[in-house]
Amino acid sequence: MKPTYKTIIRNYFQRFHAEVTMAAFSYARPGMKVERLPEFYRLWYIKEGEGLLSTGDQQYELRAGQIYLLPPGAELSLNPAAQPAVGLYWCHFHATRGDTQLFELLRLPFCVESVHRERIIASFESLIHAFHSSSLSSDLRVRAGMLEIIAFYLDYCELQDEILRRVDSLQIIHRVLEYIDGHLAGNIGVEELAKLAYLHPNYFISFFKNAVGFSPIQYVNKRRMEEARKLLEQTDRAVNEVAGQVGLQNHYLSRLFKQYMGLSPSHYRRIYRSSHHLLEEGDQ
């Protein structure tokens, strides 16, 4: 997958928000009916058993280790084998309107196979326990558990560039992000980025922020800090040289880097190299 596509999707999932409305472990037995839910996503993990799941003109052979992400309104027919019954962890969740659109645009698969069985089961167990808890941290633990399971799901999704290229909004942002990455050492203005997107600058700013999660200038500065951090880690260039390579004056790089990292560039380099040296010694 192209790096810019990964950037778009990563930034989206950093902002992803969903509300879990139910979580449990159940056994599905022969003849069980699956209710149609127009407003909820379903997240399933098959722990044990075998059977057949039908949705539209698609059929899936249920087996242990599968993660299912089923969209709202999906017509489902679940036919477990007689023995053993299908045991599955599951939750229902709402996604925001924008999140729902991206799920559909990415054409995420209904089902993926995972080898991290114990870790997924532990995440679901934690999610279910937190869902039924009244503790102060319960909502955070529910969200953490759901995001961990979705992360496992995404790790096994094979999103193809060919599919992503068909999404016009992703193509526009892809073109802009490629330009930014290729011009970090120069001046990058909103107007020139808007021209790449064939949009008026005022509309472009909101369009970009909606897709990436940052304003264009915030994103440019973020990429500059990421590139500066990489140069500090991987080269011996002086801080003023690093500043020049990311299109900033030395004093501005130091101020901006401290805002992003909480450390000055030179302090960050010393700590990184000291930590990296200790890790290498530990591996020996």
Side-chain angles (χ1 to χ4, degrees):
M1 185 189 299
K2 291 183 178 179
T4 49
Y5 290 154
K6 283 187 178 179
T7 296
I8 295 166
I9 295 169
R10 278 200 196 104
N11 286 330
Y12 159 72
F13 278 105
Q14 285 177 0
R15 297 175 288 127
F16 172 71
H17 179 73
E19 178 189 1
V20 175
T21 59
M22 186 57 190
F25 176 83
S26 301
Y27 283 101
R29 303 188 182 280
M32 174 182 170
K33 293 184 179 179
V34 181
E35 184 180 357
R36 184 172 177 269
L37 298 175
E39 298 178 0
F40 297 91
Y41 278 91
R42 305 174 200 248
L43 188 59
W44 292 0
Y45 178 71
I46 310 300
K47 181 186 178 186
E48 57 189 285
E50 297 178 350
L52 191 68
L53 175 70
S54 301
T55 173
D57 58 354
Q58 300 277 342
Q59 287 192 331
Y60 300 90
E61 293 183 2
L62 296 166
R63 55 182 173 270
Q66 292 174 327
I67 306 173
Y68 285 85
L69 180 61
L70 304 166
E75 296 279 359
L76 302 175
S77 173
L78 180 59
N79 297 294
Q83 292 295 334
V86 172
L88 67 152
Y89 290 94
W90 57 273
C91 74
H92 295 165
F93 67 88
H94 287 292
T96 64
R97 188 173 180 180
D99 293 334
T100 301
Q101 289 173 346
L102 191 65
F103 268 100
E104 293 168 353
L105 288 173
L106 294 178
R107 299 184 189 179
L108 296 171
F110 274 21
C111 174
V112 297
E113 303 268 354
S114 173
V115 298
H116 295 94
R117 298 189 180 188
E118 292 183 2
R119 293 173 63 187
I120 296 172
I121 289 172
S123 295
F124 251 118
E125 292 279 2
S126 175
L127 189 162
I128 293 167
H129 176 76
F131 183 79
H132 295 285
S133 169
S134 59
S135 71
L136 188 63
S137 62
S138 60
D139 289 345
L140 290 173
R141 295 186 187 280
V142 166
R143 178 170 168 77
M146 186 198 66
L147 290 177
E148 179 75 2
I149 297 159
I150 290 179
F152 281 120
Y153 165 84
L154 289 172
D155 283 341
Y156 290 93
C157 283
E158 296 182 359
L159 295 176
Q160 302 296 325
D161 285 0
E162 181 183 352
I163 292 175
L164 300 176
R165 278 196 294 268
R166 298 174 191 166
V167 182
D168 290 341
S169 57
L170 289 182
Q171 277 306 300
I172 292 170
I173 293 297
H174 162 69
R175 187 163 60 243
V176 173
L177 297 190
E178 268 200 333
Y179 179 87
I180 290 171
D181 281 349
H183 295 79
L184 288 176
N187 293 321
I188 302 174
V190 170
E191 289 192 0
E192 60 192 295
L193 298 179
K195 287 179 183 177
L196 290 169
Y198 305 106
L199 295 171
H200 186 278
N202 291 340
Y203 179 72
F204 169 74
I205 292 172
S206 60
F207 171 79
F208 187 94
K209 189 170 184 179
N210 184 56
V212 179
F214 303 92
S215 71
I217 298 305
Q218 286 174 328
Y219 179 78
V220 168
N221 285 337
K222 179 175 178 288
R223 284 293 299 120
R224 282 175 166 153
M225 294 306 97
E226 290 170 350
E227 186 64 21
R229 187 179 70 178
K230 186 171 74 174
L231 291 169
L232 290 167
E233 292 173 357
Q234 299 177 4
T235 74
D236 292 319
R237 291 168 190 161
V239 172
N240 64 328
E241 291 181 80
V242 171
Q245 285 204 256
V246 296
L248 298 173
Q249 295 182 354
N250 189 23
H251 71 280
Y252 189 54
L253 168 67
S254 296
R255 180 156 60 89
L256 202 58
F257 196 89
K258 196 166 185 177
Q259 286 177 5
Y260 275 79
M261 301 297 299
L263 301 167
S264 68
S266 56
H267 192 188
Y268 175 81
R269 174 180 269 166
R270 286 197 302 272
I271 289 177
Y272 171 80
R273 293 194 171 176
S274 175
S275 301
H276 192 64
H277 179 67
L278 289 173
L279 285 173
E280 287 181 336
E281 285 186 341
D283 290 338
Q284 291 176 359

